[in-house]
Amino acid sequence: MAIAEFGLTAIDCPEPRVLADFYSAVLGWETDPESREHDWIEIVGPDGRRLAFQRSEGYRAPKWPSTEHAQQMHLDFDVPRERLEEAERAVLELGATLLEGDDGGQRNWRVYADPVGHPFCLCAQ
């Protein structure tokens, strides 16, 4: 028997609304209407999956790759292989930064930073 049930992943950031809007656009998820605090915003996806964004005073973005300001975690998003270029253009237009490409198609993922520096990957499926 499990000790607990997974609830959500919370991500520290300087402006929760801004980062929630970014990931809402990337994933097509909606903001939880009960989540209207300035310091905590949740977005909700299929089957009740959730990401939360919490204000962190003095937030320092991770540096990728680095051990000095380590990433601590990252998110992977699956994209159909034939839509990878389109997905990259879309996340860049939303404010992401490409950190590492797929080595000319040699790898199945590309690494980006969200608008406040958290690494995430688009993974070709």
Side-chain angles (χ1 to χ4, degrees):
M1 174 176 212
I3 294 170
E5 184 176 307
F6 181 79
L8 57 78
T9 297
I11 300 172
D12 289 351
C13 60
E15 295 293 331
R17 170 61 59 200
V18 172
L19 202 55
D21 288 348
F22 172 82
Y23 282 105
S24 180
V26 169
L27 296 168
W29 293 8
E30 298 294 326
T31 301
D32 182 339
E34 295 181 20
S35 172
R36 300 198 182 273
E37 297 180 33
H38 295 293
D39 294 336
W40 182 274
I41 304 289
E42 293 180 25
I43 61 173
V44 183
D47 303 319
R49 291 180 283 178
R50 291 177 174 268
L51 279 176
F53 306 90
Q54 65 181 354
R55 183 178 313 281
S56 174
E57 297 302 325
Y59 169 79
R60 287 182 15 181
K63 301 291 183 207
W64 188 90
S66 170
T67 55
E68 185 177 338
H69 299 287
Q71 65 177 326
Q72 299 180 13
M73 63 158 270
H74 75 271
L75 301 170
D76 284 350
F77 301 117
D78 295 339
V79 177
R81 183 173 305 282
E82 65 274 7
R83 292 194 52 234
L84 189 58
E85 297 299 325
E86 174 188 343
E88 178 172 274
R89 283 191 300 278
V91 298
L92 294 174
E93 287 175 9
L94 290 168
T97 303
L98 178 66
L99 297 177
E100 185 174 292
D102 59 8
D103 198 20
Q106 298 299 308
R107 292 192 315 250
N108 290 331
W109 71 90
R110 297 175 185 174
V111 183
Y112 305 83
D114 69 21
V116 299
H118 299 103
F120 70 94
C121 296
L122 294 181
C123 303
Q125 298 297 306

